[in-house]
Amino acid sequence: MTKSEDLILAELKNNQDKYTSGSELSRGLGISRAAVWKQIGSLRRRGYEIQARTNRGYRLAAEPDCLDRARLEKEQVHYYRAIDSTNLAARILAAEMAPGYSWVVAEEQLRGRGRLGRSWHSPPGSGLWFSVLLRPGKLLPAAAAPLTLAAAAILADSFKDQYDLPLKIKWPNDLILHGKKMGGILTELICELDMVSCLIVGVGLNINQKQTDFSPGIRSLATSARLAGGRGFNRTEMFLFLKKRLEEGFHRFFESGFAPFQPLWEKADVTVGREVRATHPGGSVRGTAIGISADGALLLEDSRGRVHHIRYGEISPEKGGFAD
Ligand code: BTN
Protein backbone atom coordinates (compact mmCIF):
# COMPACT_ATOMS: atom_id res chain seq x y z
CA MET A 1 0.00 0.00 0.00
CA THR A 2 1.39 3.47 -0.88
CA LYS A 3 1.91 6.12 1.82
CA SER A 4 -0.96 8.27 0.49
CA GLU A 5 -3.29 5.25 0.44
CA ASP A 6 -2.29 4.53 4.03
CA LEU A 7 -2.97 8.12 5.12
CA ILE A 8 -6.33 8.34 3.36
CA LEU A 9 -7.35 5.04 4.88
CA ALA A 10 -6.33 6.17 8.38
CA GLU A 11 -8.36 9.37 7.91
CA LEU A 12 -11.44 7.48 6.69
CA LYS A 13 -11.13 4.93 9.51
CA ASN A 14 -11.05 7.73 12.09
CA ASN A 15 -14.22 9.20 10.62
CA GLN A 16 -16.20 6.10 9.74
CA ASP A 17 -19.44 7.59 11.09
CA LYS A 18 -19.45 10.51 8.62
CA TYR A 19 -18.37 11.62 5.16
CA THR A 20 -14.98 13.31 4.76
CA SER A 21 -14.78 15.75 1.87
CA GLY A 22 -12.25 15.40 -0.91
CA SER A 23 -10.92 18.89 -0.23
CA GLU A 24 -10.38 18.09 3.47
CA LEU A 25 -8.41 14.99 2.48
CA SER A 26 -6.40 16.84 -0.14
CA ARG A 27 -5.59 19.74 2.25
CA GLY A 28 -4.74 17.41 5.14
CA LEU A 29 -2.41 15.23 3.06
CA GLY A 30 -0.98 17.98 0.83
CA ILE A 31 -2.01 16.24 -2.42
CA SER A 32 -4.34 17.30 -5.23
CA ARG A 33 -8.02 16.26 -5.30
CA ALA A 34 -7.30 14.27 -8.45
CA ALA A 35 -4.63 12.35 -6.51
CA VAL A 36 -7.14 11.70 -3.70
CA TRP A 37 -9.57 10.30 -6.28
CA LYS A 38 -6.84 8.07 -7.70
CA GLN A 39 -5.89 6.70 -4.27
CA ILE A 40 -9.56 6.07 -3.43
CA GLY A 41 -9.75 4.04 -6.66
CA SER A 42 -6.80 1.89 -5.71
CA LEU A 43 -8.13 1.33 -2.17
CA ARG A 44 -11.37 0.12 -3.74
CA ARG A 45 -9.42 -2.27 -5.91
CA ARG A 46 -7.83 -3.64 -2.72
CA GLY A 47 -11.32 -4.49 -1.48
CA TYR A 48 -12.16 -1.44 0.66
CA GLU A 49 -15.76 -0.41 0.18
CA ILE A 50 -15.71 3.40 0.03
CA GLN A 51 -18.95 5.28 -0.55
CA ALA A 52 -18.80 8.59 -2.42
CA ARG A 53 -21.51 11.29 -2.21
CA THR A 54 -21.59 14.49 -4.25
CA ASN A 55 -20.90 17.54 -2.06
CA ARG A 56 -20.26 15.36 0.99
CA GLY A 57 -17.18 13.29 0.21
CA TYR A 58 -16.10 9.76 1.11
CA ARG A 59 -16.97 7.25 3.80
CA LEU A 60 -15.41 3.88 4.57
CA ALA A 61 -18.29 1.38 4.60
CA ALA A 62 -16.42 -1.93 4.87
CA GLU A 63 -12.90 -3.26 5.00
CA PRO A 64 -11.69 -6.35 3.20
CA ASP A 65 -11.04 -9.43 5.27
CA CYS A 66 -7.22 -9.18 5.46
CA LEU A 67 -4.70 -10.70 7.82
CA ASP A 68 -3.25 -8.01 10.09
CA ARG A 69 0.36 -7.87 8.99
CA ALA A 70 1.55 -5.48 11.72
CA ARG A 71 0.02 -7.61 14.47
CA LEU A 72 1.52 -10.80 13.05
CA GLU A 73 4.96 -9.29 12.62
CA LYS A 74 4.85 -8.06 16.22
CA GLU A 75 4.60 -11.75 17.16
CA GLN A 76 7.65 -12.56 14.95
CA VAL A 77 5.49 -14.37 12.41
CA HIS A 78 6.82 -14.28 8.83
CA TYR A 79 3.93 -12.78 6.88
CA TYR A 80 3.55 -12.90 3.09
CA ARG A 81 0.84 -11.21 1.08
CA ALA A 82 1.30 -13.90 -1.58
CA ILE A 83 3.78 -16.76 -1.78
CA ASP A 84 4.08 -20.06 -3.65
CA SER A 85 3.70 -22.20 -0.52
CA THR A 86 4.26 -21.52 3.20
CA ASN A 87 5.79 -25.00 3.52
CA LEU A 88 8.40 -24.02 0.93
CA ALA A 89 9.02 -20.73 2.74
CA ALA A 90 9.56 -22.68 5.98
CA ARG A 91 11.99 -24.96 4.14
CA ILE A 92 14.00 -21.91 3.06
CA LEU A 93 13.98 -20.64 6.65
CA ALA A 94 15.34 -24.04 7.71
CA ALA A 95 18.21 -23.73 5.22
CA GLU A 96 18.90 -20.24 6.58
CA MET A 97 19.22 -21.73 10.07
CA ALA A 98 16.09 -20.05 11.42
CA PRO A 99 15.19 -21.31 14.91
CA GLY A 100 12.51 -23.86 15.71
CA TYR A 101 8.99 -22.48 16.10
CA SER A 102 9.45 -20.06 13.19
CA TRP A 103 5.98 -19.44 11.75
CA VAL A 104 5.02 -18.47 8.22
CA VAL A 105 1.57 -17.29 7.22
CA ALA A 106 0.34 -16.12 3.83
CA GLU A 107 -2.78 -14.28 2.73
CA GLU A 108 -2.61 -16.24 -0.52
CA GLN A 109 -0.64 -19.23 -1.79
CA LEU A 110 0.03 -19.39 -5.49
CA ARG A 111 1.11 -23.05 -5.42
CA GLY A 112 -0.37 -24.40 -2.22
CA ARG A 113 0.42 -28.08 -1.78
CA GLY A 114 -1.72 -30.87 -0.40
CA ARG A 115 -0.72 -34.39 0.58
CA LEU A 116 0.39 -36.97 -1.96
CA GLY A 117 1.40 -34.37 -4.57
CA ARG A 118 -2.02 -32.75 -4.79
CA SER A 119 -2.49 -29.01 -5.04
CA TRP A 120 -4.22 -26.94 -2.38
CA HIS A 121 -6.39 -24.04 -3.48
CA SER A 122 -5.43 -21.07 -1.27
CA PRO A 123 -7.13 -17.84 -2.40
CA PRO A 124 -6.75 -14.54 -0.48
CA GLY A 125 -9.24 -13.13 1.99
CA SER A 126 -10.86 -16.26 3.36
CA GLY A 127 -8.65 -19.05 4.68
CA LEU A 128 -5.69 -19.61 6.96
CA TRP A 129 -2.60 -20.97 5.25
CA PHE A 130 0.37 -21.38 7.54
CA SER A 131 3.40 -23.48 8.39
CA VAL A 132 5.76 -23.87 11.30
CA LEU A 133 9.37 -25.00 11.28
CA LEU A 134 10.22 -27.38 14.12
CA ARG A 135 13.65 -28.58 15.22
CA PRO A 136 12.86 -31.65 17.30
CA GLY A 137 16.36 -32.44 18.66
CA LYS A 138 16.62 -36.24 18.63
CA LEU A 139 13.76 -37.83 16.69
CA LEU A 140 13.75 -40.90 14.48
CA PRO A 141 11.97 -40.46 11.11
CA ALA A 142 9.54 -43.27 12.01
CA ALA A 143 8.54 -41.44 15.21
CA ALA A 144 7.58 -38.28 13.31
CA ALA A 145 4.43 -39.54 11.56
CA PRO A 146 2.15 -39.19 14.61
CA LEU A 147 2.99 -35.48 14.83
CA THR A 148 0.39 -34.83 12.11
CA LEU A 149 -2.16 -36.71 14.20
CA ALA A 150 -1.24 -34.74 17.31
CA ALA A 151 -1.61 -31.47 15.34
CA ALA A 152 -5.04 -32.58 14.10
CA ALA A 153 -6.13 -33.48 17.65
CA ILE A 154 -4.94 -30.10 18.97
CA LEU A 155 -6.79 -28.25 16.20
CA ALA A 156 -10.02 -30.18 16.75
CA ASP A 157 -9.85 -29.55 20.49
CA SER A 158 -9.08 -25.84 19.96
CA PHE A 159 -12.01 -25.26 17.59
CA LYS A 160 -14.40 -26.99 19.99
CA ASP A 161 -13.12 -25.03 22.99
CA GLN A 162 -12.79 -21.59 21.53
CA TYR A 163 -15.34 -21.44 18.71
CA ASP A 164 -17.80 -24.15 19.68
CA LEU A 165 -17.29 -25.83 16.29
CA PRO A 166 -17.39 -29.64 16.35
CA LEU A 167 -14.27 -30.16 14.25
CA LYS A 168 -13.55 -33.85 13.66
CA ILE A 169 -10.60 -35.78 12.26
CA LYS A 170 -10.42 -38.36 9.54
CA TRP A 171 -7.18 -40.33 9.77
CA PRO A 172 -4.53 -39.15 9.25
CA ASN A 173 -4.83 -35.46 8.45
CA ASP A 174 -8.29 -34.39 7.29
CA LEU A 175 -10.19 -31.86 9.38
CA ILE A 176 -13.91 -32.46 8.96
CA LEU A 177 -16.95 -30.35 9.87
CA HIS A 178 -20.39 -31.93 9.49
CA GLY A 179 -19.01 -34.54 7.09
CA LYS A 180 -17.15 -32.10 4.79
CA LYS A 181 -13.50 -31.15 4.64
CA MET A 182 -12.64 -27.90 6.40
CA GLY A 183 -8.88 -28.28 6.37
CA GLY A 184 -5.84 -30.47 6.18
CA ILE A 185 -2.28 -30.84 7.39
CA LEU A 186 0.84 -31.46 5.35
CA THR A 187 3.87 -32.49 7.41
CA GLU A 188 7.23 -32.66 5.70
CA LEU A 189 10.58 -33.82 7.02
CA ILE A 190 14.12 -32.71 6.41
CA CYS A 191 16.14 -35.65 7.64
CA GLU A 192 19.14 -37.95 7.54
CA LEU A 193 18.58 -41.69 7.48
CA ASP A 194 18.34 -41.97 11.24
CA MET A 195 17.57 -38.48 12.45
CA VAL A 196 14.99 -35.81 11.71
CA SER A 197 16.69 -32.42 11.63
CA CYS A 198 13.58 -30.37 10.84
CA LEU A 199 9.85 -30.87 10.58
CA ILE A 200 7.57 -28.55 8.71
CA VAL A 201 3.94 -28.69 9.66
CA GLY A 202 1.68 -26.90 7.16
CA VAL A 203 -1.97 -26.26 7.94
CA GLY A 204 -4.69 -25.15 5.54
CA LEU A 205 -8.07 -24.13 7.03
CA ASN A 206 -11.18 -22.87 5.27
CA ILE A 207 -12.43 -20.11 7.53
CA ASN A 208 -14.59 -17.39 5.98
CA GLN A 209 -15.49 -18.95 2.61
CA LYS A 210 -19.08 -18.77 1.49
CA GLN A 211 -20.62 -21.62 -0.48
CA THR A 212 -20.01 -19.82 -3.79
CA ASP A 213 -16.30 -19.38 -2.98
CA PHE A 214 -15.87 -23.12 -3.58
CA SER A 215 -15.83 -24.31 -7.16
CA PRO A 216 -18.96 -26.32 -8.11
CA GLY A 217 -16.81 -29.46 -8.31
CA ILE A 218 -15.88 -29.41 -4.61
CA ARG A 219 -18.93 -27.64 -3.13
CA SER A 220 -20.41 -30.90 -1.88
CA LEU A 221 -17.09 -31.95 -0.30
CA ALA A 222 -15.71 -28.75 1.26
CA THR A 223 -16.90 -26.46 4.03
CA SER A 224 -15.65 -23.55 6.12
CA ALA A 225 -15.89 -22.38 9.72
CA ARG A 226 -18.25 -19.61 8.56
CA LEU A 227 -20.61 -22.04 6.83
CA ALA A 228 -20.78 -24.25 9.89
CA GLY A 229 -20.77 -21.49 12.52
CA GLY A 230 -23.11 -19.06 10.74
CA ARG A 231 -20.73 -16.13 11.27
CA GLY A 232 -17.38 -14.79 10.11
CA PHE A 233 -14.19 -15.08 12.15
CA ASN A 234 -11.22 -12.76 12.68
CA ARG A 235 -8.50 -14.78 10.99
CA THR A 236 -5.58 -12.98 12.64
CA GLU A 237 -6.89 -13.60 16.16
CA MET A 238 -7.74 -17.17 15.22
CA PHE A 239 -4.26 -17.83 13.82
CA LEU A 240 -2.55 -16.41 16.94
CA PHE A 241 -4.77 -18.54 19.16
CA LEU A 242 -4.06 -21.71 17.16
CA LYS A 243 -0.33 -20.91 17.06
CA LYS A 244 -0.26 -20.78 20.86
CA ARG A 245 -2.17 -24.04 21.24
CA LEU A 246 -0.06 -25.82 18.63
CA GLU A 247 3.22 -24.61 20.17
CA GLU A 248 2.19 -25.91 23.60
CA GLY A 249 1.18 -29.20 21.99
CA PHE A 250 4.39 -29.63 19.97
CA HIS A 251 6.51 -29.10 23.10
CA ARG A 252 4.46 -31.81 24.77
CA PHE A 253 4.80 -34.13 21.77
CA PHE A 254 8.60 -33.83 21.77
CA GLU A 255 8.66 -34.59 25.50
CA SER A 256 6.13 -37.43 25.67
CA GLY A 257 5.25 -38.59 22.12
CA PHE A 258 1.72 -39.18 20.83
CA ALA A 259 0.26 -40.97 23.88
CA PRO A 260 -1.01 -37.80 25.67
CA PHE A 261 -2.92 -36.85 22.51
CA GLN A 262 -4.65 -40.17 22.01
CA PRO A 263 -7.71 -39.27 24.17
CA LEU A 264 -8.15 -35.99 22.27
CA TRP A 265 -7.86 -37.84 19.00
CA GLU A 266 -10.43 -40.42 20.05
CA LYS A 267 -12.89 -37.68 21.02
CA ALA A 268 -12.70 -36.15 17.54
CA ASP A 269 -12.21 -39.26 15.41
CA VAL A 270 -14.79 -39.94 12.69
CA THR A 271 -12.97 -42.99 11.37
CA VAL A 272 -13.62 -45.57 14.05
CA GLY A 273 -16.39 -48.06 13.36
CA ARG A 274 -16.44 -47.30 9.60
CA GLU A 275 -15.91 -49.69 6.74
CA VAL A 276 -12.94 -48.22 4.88
CA ARG A 277 -10.36 -48.97 2.26
CA ALA A 278 -6.86 -47.91 3.27
CA THR A 279 -4.44 -47.20 0.46
CA HIS A 280 -0.86 -47.34 1.66
CA PRO A 281 2.58 -47.53 0.01
CA GLY A 282 2.39 -51.36 -0.04
CA GLY A 283 -1.10 -51.67 -1.61
CA SER A 284 -4.56 -51.42 -0.16
CA VAL A 285 -6.64 -53.17 2.47
CA ARG A 286 -10.35 -53.18 3.34
CA GLY A 287 -11.74 -53.45 6.79
CA THR A 288 -13.36 -51.82 9.78
CA ALA A 289 -11.45 -49.04 11.48
CA ILE A 290 -11.24 -50.05 15.13
CA GLY A 291 -9.04 -47.24 16.46
CA ILE A 292 -5.46 -46.05 16.47
CA SER A 293 -2.44 -47.40 18.32
CA ALA A 294 -0.43 -45.43 20.90
CA ASP A 295 2.03 -44.53 18.13
CA GLY A 296 -0.68 -43.28 15.74
CA ALA A 297 -1.15 -46.26 13.37
CA LEU A 298 -4.69 -46.82 12.11
CA LEU A 299 -5.99 -50.21 13.28
CA LEU A 300 -8.01 -51.91 10.60
CA GLU A 301 -9.74 -55.26 11.16
CA ASP A 302 -10.31 -57.21 7.95
CA SER A 303 -13.12 -59.72 7.31
CA ARG A 304 -10.98 -62.56 8.68
CA GLY A 305 -10.44 -60.77 11.98
CA ARG A 306 -6.84 -59.85 11.25
CA VAL A 307 -5.82 -56.41 12.56
CA HIS A 308 -3.62 -54.36 10.23
CA HIS A 309 -1.50 -51.47 11.52
CA ILE A 310 -1.57 -48.79 8.82
CA ARG A 311 1.13 -46.19 9.43
CA TYR A 312 1.10 -44.22 6.19
CA GLY A 313 -1.50 -43.63 3.46
CA GLU A 314 -5.08 -42.52 3.32
CA ILE A 315 -8.54 -43.97 3.67
CA SER A 316 -11.78 -43.72 1.79
CA PRO A 317 -15.20 -44.91 2.97
CA GLU A 318 -16.49 -48.21 1.57
CA LYS A 319 -20.03 -46.90 1.97
CA GLY A 320 -21.44 -43.54 3.07
CA GLY A 321 -19.13 -40.69 4.01
CA PHE A 322 -17.51 -39.48 7.18
CA ALA A 323 -20.43 -37.48 8.52
CA ASP A 324 -20.50 -37.40 12.31
C1 BTN B 1 -4.13 -31.98 2.63
O1 BTN B 1 -5.22 -32.15 3.16
O2 BTN B 1 -3.83 -32.54 1.56
C2 BTN B 1 -3.11 -31.08 3.29
C3 BTN B 1 -3.28 -29.64 2.91
C4 BTN B 1 -2.26 -28.73 3.55
C5 BTN B 1 -2.34 -27.32 3.01
C6 BTN B 1 -1.44 -26.38 3.77
S1 BTN B 1 -1.81 -24.69 3.42
C7 BTN B 1 -0.37 -24.20 4.26
C8 BTN B 1 0.71 -25.19 3.92
N1 BTN B 1 1.40 -24.82 2.70
C9 BTN B 1 1.16 -25.66 1.71
O3 BTN B 1 1.59 -25.54 0.54
N2 BTN B 1 0.37 -26.66 2.13
C10 BTN B 1 0.05 -26.51 3.53
Side-chain angles (χ1 to χ4, degrees):
M1 198 176 288
T2 64
K3 193 151 173 254
S4 318
E5 276 171 42
D6 240 354
L7 293 170
I8 290 181
L9 191 57
E11 203 52 37
L12 294 178
K13 272 192 193 174
N14 286 337
N15 295 289
Q16 246 175 307
D17 50 341
K18 61 177 175 89
Y19 283 83
T20 309
S21 74
S23 53
E24 241 176 280
L25 288 171
S26 97
R27 255 199 322 275
L29 305 179
I31 56 175
S32 68
R33 288 192 62 174
V36 168
W37 173 244
K38 201 170 141 220
Q39 306 300 340
I40 295 276
S42 57
L43 284 169
R44 282 184 174 145
R45 283 192 292 281
R46 288 183 195 281
Y48 290 91
E49 198 185 308
I50 299 173
Q51 296 171 338
R53 284 265 180 90
T54 328
N55 297 329
R56 291 184 70 188
Y58 304 102
R59 192 179 79 85
L60 180 63
E63 296 181 49
D65 179 6
C66 287
L67 289 168
D68 184 341
R69 173 180 197 154
R71 177 125 168 64
L72 293 168
E73 288 183 343
K74 217 165 112 200
E75 303 289 332
Q76 270 79 52
V77 173
H78 298 261
Y79 163 91
Y80 291 90
R81 163 65 195 77
I83 198 171
D84 42 10
S85 149
T86 56
N87 268 33
L88 280 182
R91 201 174 265 274
I92 293 168
L93 285 174
E96 290 168 348
M97 302 313 288
Y101 298 99
S102 294
W103 292 80
V104 183
V105 60
E107 184 66 72
E108 176 180 15
Q109 293 188 120
L110 305 169
R111 283 211 192 104
R113 293 152 35 169
R115 279 184 81 226
L116 308 168
R118 297 181 185 125
S119 62
W120 183 263
H121 184 54
S122 323
S126 53
L128 274 177
W129 328 121
F130 60 87
S131 304
V132 58
L133 167 68
L134 301 170
R135 295 189 181 275
K138 279 203 168 129
L139 186 76
L140 289 170
L147 182 73
T148 303
L149 279 62
I154 296 164
L155 289 168
D157 189 51
S158 306
F159 272 90
K160 178 91 203 64
D161 255 21
Q162 186 78 354
Y163 303 108
D164 203 21
L165 287 175
L167 191 60
K168 303 284 179 193
I169 319 164
K170 174 184 151 240
W171 186 92
N173 77 320
D174 283 342
L175 299 167
I176 306 285
L177 254 180
H178 303 312
K180 295 183 179 184
K181 183 152 169 164
M182 193 200 101
I185 302 169
L186 173 66
T187 302
E188 297 181 293
L189 307 188
I190 303 175
C191 62
E192 295 165 28
L193 262 184
D194 54 359
M195 198 188 75
V196 176
S197 53
C198 294
L199 283 151
I200 293 163
V201 182
V203 179
L205 298 169
N206 298 327
I207 306 299
N208 284 333
Q209 282 92 338
K210 301 185 217 78
Q211 190 93 48
T212 47
D213 292 331
F214 295 114
S215 64
I218 64 162
R219 234 167 251 175
S220 61
L221 306 172
T223 192
S224 70
R226 175 198 288 258
L227 286 170
R231 67 178 179 101
F233 294 86
N234 179 317
R235 289 179 299 137
T236 308
E237 294 305 328
M238 181 182 270
F239 165 74
L240 290 172
F241 167 72
L242 297 176
K243 168 178 175 289
K244 182 167 171 288
R245 281 287 185 94
L246 285 165
E247 271 185 18
E248 290 163 1
F250 292 145
H251 280 294
R252 193 156 186 221
F253 180 89
F254 294 132
E255 269 160 29
S256 318
F258 179 67
F261 299 95
Q262 196 164 354
L264 283 187
W265 171 281
E266 281 164 0
K267 253 206 269 176
D269 179 24
V270 284
T271 318
V272 97
R274 316 259 169 179
E275 294 282 312
V276 298
R277 173 181 293 277
T279 314
H280 55 87
S284 79
V285 51
R286 273 168 57 177
T288 307
I290 56 169
I292 53 167
S293 64
D295 59 355
L298 176 72
L299 304 177
L300 210 59
E301 186 175 330
D302 67 20
S303 54
R304 286 182 294 169
R306 190 173 148 218
V307 177
H308 301 255
H309 288 230
I310 314 285
R311 290 182 196 285
Y312 308 98
E314 62 176 350
I315 52 172
S316 46
E318 278 294 89
K319 41 182 175 273
F322 284 102
D324 35 321

